[in-house]
Amino acid sequence: MREAKQIDFNGQNIYTGIDVHKKSWQVSIYTEQFEHKTFTQPPESKTLVSYLQRTFPGGKYHAAYEAGFSGFWAHDELTGLGVDCIVVHPGDVPTTDKERRHKTDPRDARKLAKQLRSGALEAIHVPSIRLREDRSLIRQRKTLRKEETRVKNRIKQFLHFRGVDIPVHFSNSYWSGSFIKWLEELSLYCGTGTATLSSLLRQLSSRRKELAYLSRDIRALSKTEAYRDRVKYLSSLSGIGALSAMIWLTELGDIHRFRDFDQLCSYVGLVPWEHSSGDHETTGGLDRRGNKVLRTLLIENAWVAVRKDPELMLAYSQYIKRMKGQQAIVRIARKLLRRIRFVLINEQVLEQV
């Protein structure tokens, strides 16, 4: 009886494209020469790696999937199991018109595997688990602030719908303690109306309490060894406080991962979109592909800084002589971003004039 020959893919690359969904993964596997198989499996990294090891023992495994709702946990697990896994921006995956018009999960998985094999995919940066957890804390505060604003708007709409005028002396102190007390003591025509207002006020109180807890946790995080010094560097800049500093640090991660200022601008989204064809060239507003959180924050910081920093104030006054205010503040934002990069790279406080 002849002994079966042991299969060995040592030195050969195996490429896997994964179309990630909540309840299943569509997987397509390619060798260096052929398409092997496209199939559906449970959303489990171990299941995929087990199949690769059984079918292509000794091979070097590569995988790619698009960034999205599923985050980076699959990347972490596949990497930990020995797979060279990358996460790609969906807009960076080369797509033909046919693939765009006839989009299916198997087609998407095959496209990722083929592009991975050809070297056409560019990986995005995957933050560490620690940074992702810290970032989630900061983003949770922003989510709660939005929810608080929605409740406030509901209360104002509730009063306006019933013709209840807010006293003039509260016009400049909305949502102060005295204003909340006035709302709590307000009696409407029916008890059910008063009960509705009380419900809205309880919702507001709940969100305010949760915001206080989150603010306490963020302050504690900012004083840890991982952030303490960098918060001090950023807080030395006009327009940036401790909370803004924490947003910058958790969204940027390691500043040294950006090779130059232009790449940092691209990540923040502080570059104009452009379209050129033949003799026609069009340049528009800011590119919306960048980090929306940082782009919005940077503009907010710039508006504060331009009122406090004499150098930026003078620059702004010169810009608005030849452009609109919104365009001028983008120029100021670039200057502020340069300062942010400088203090983080050089690990020093910026001495203000």
Side-chain angles (χ1 to χ4, degrees):
M1 183 175 180
R2 295 182 61 183
E3 183 178 352
K5 186 176 181 180
Q6 182 70 30
I7 299 176
D8 187 3
F9 281 83
N10 185 41
Q12 295 196 37
N13 295 299
I14 309 300
Y15 303 93
T16 305
I18 310 171
D19 191 33
V20 177
H21 294 279
K22 182 179 179 180
K23 296 184 178 180
S24 65
W25 286 357
Q26 192 72 35
V27 176
S28 183
I29 301 175
Y30 278 65
T31 66
E32 294 178 350
Q33 295 83 23
F34 306 105
E35 176 185 359
H36 166 66
K37 189 177 183 181
T38 299
F39 57 94
T40 302
Q41 68 153 67
E44 300 168 354
S45 303
K46 290 183 178 179
T47 300
L48 175 58
V49 174
S50 177
Y51 179 84
L52 291 173
Q53 291 174 341
R54 289 196 314 271
T55 311
F56 307 100
K60 185 175 182 181
Y61 313 125
H62 307 270
Y65 69 91
E66 295 179 350
F69 77 98
S70 60
F72 299 109
W73 66 266
H75 168 275
D76 297 338
E77 289 187 355
L78 289 169
T79 301
L81 292 170
V83 178
D84 176 27
C85 181
I86 65 171
V87 184
V88 298
H89 190 293
D92 287 344
V93 181
T95 305
T96 64
D97 183 65
K98 181 179 179 181
E99 290 170 335
R100 192 176 294 109
R101 291 175 181 272
H102 302 279
K103 187 179 185 305
T104 64
D105 293 343
R107 191 186 297 272
D108 288 345
R110 291 190 190 98
K111 176 175 60 178
L112 284 170
K114 287 190 289 186
Q115 298 294 346
L116 179 63
R117 183 176 64 176
S118 67
L121 296 181
E122 182 178 353
I124 64 172
H125 174 71
V126 177
S128 67
I129 297 177
R130 168 66 185 274
L131 182 61
R132 299 199 304 259
E133 294 298 299
D134 293 347
R135 181 184 293 174
S136 68
L137 179 68
I138 310 299
R139 289 184 176 181
Q140 175 64 7
R141 183 184 183 279
K142 182 180 180 181
T143 299
L144 271 176
R145 289 286 292 178
K146 288 182 179 179
E147 293 178 0
E148 180 191 32
T149 300
R150 290 192 186 101
V151 176
K152 288 179 178 179
N153 290 337
R154 292 190 191 109
I155 293 174
K156 288 191 289 186
Q157 191 275 337
F158 178 85
L159 297 177
H160 179 74
F161 188 76
R162 285 153 184 79
V164 178
D165 293 325
I166 297 174
V168 177
H169 61 276
F170 287 133
S171 59
N172 294 323
S173 58
Y174 260 26
W175 312 112
S176 63
S178 57
F179 178 60
I180 297 296
K181 184 178 180 180
W182 175 78
L183 288 172
E184 291 173 341
E185 296 175 348
L186 187 64
S187 295
L188 299 177
Y189 181 76
C190 293
T192 50
T194 304
T196 303
L197 179 58
S198 297
S199 172
L200 290 169
L201 289 173
R202 286 195 298 271
Q203 293 177 45
L204 179 61
S205 176
S206 172
R207 282 154 180 78
R208 283 187 156 186
K209 288 179 181 178
E210 191 59 34
L211 275 169
Y213 288 134
L214 276 175
S215 297
R216 180 197 63 190
D217 293 338
I218 292 171
R219 283 195 300 271
L221 180 63
S222 70
K223 295 176 182 178
T224 60
E225 184 178 355
Y227 294 100
R228 181 175 57 245
D229 291 340
R230 291 183 294 161
V231 167
K232 181 176 68 175
Y233 304 147
L234 287 176
S235 298
S236 69
L237 302 177
S238 297
I240 299 181
L243 177 59
S244 291
M246 287 301 296
I247 298 174
W248 277 106
L249 295 174
T250 53
E251 293 292 336
L252 285 178
D254 183 7
I255 190 66
H256 295 91
R257 69 186 178 91
F258 302 101
R259 63 177 178 271
D260 52 32
F261 180 68
D262 288 340
Q263 188 181 31
L264 177 59
C265 281
S266 178
Y267 179 78
V268 174
L270 205 63
V271 293
W273 65 264
E274 56 184 350
H275 177 80
S276 60
S277 178
D279 296 331
H280 300 280
E281 183 173 335
T282 304
T283 302
L286 295 181
D287 185 359
R288 296 187 178 276
R289 172 177 163 139
N291 187 307
K292 182 180 178 181
V293 173
L294 289 184
R295 182 173 62 249
T296 302
L297 178 64
L298 180 59
I299 298 299
E300 292 174 356
N301 293 157
W303 277 118
V304 176
V306 81
R307 293 174 172 85
K308 295 184 176 181
D309 187 281
E311 180 184 343
L312 298 180
M313 184 184 299
L314 178 60
Y316 180 80
S317 64
Q318 293 173 341
Y319 286 141
I320 59 175
K321 294 177 182 178
R322 52 191 173 89
M323 63 182 66
K324 296 179 180 180
Q326 291 293 337
Q327 294 173 316
I329 203 64
V330 171
R331 301 289 183 92
I332 299 300
R334 285 182 66 90
K335 290 179 178 292
L336 182 58
L337 187 58
R338 283 190 182 276
R339 293 182 179 184
I340 290 171
R341 181 174 182 267
F342 176 84
V343 298
L344 290 179
I345 287 181
N346 294 280
E347 299 182 351
Q348 68 180 60
V349 171
L350 184 65
E351 298 295 337
Q352 302 287 344
V353 178

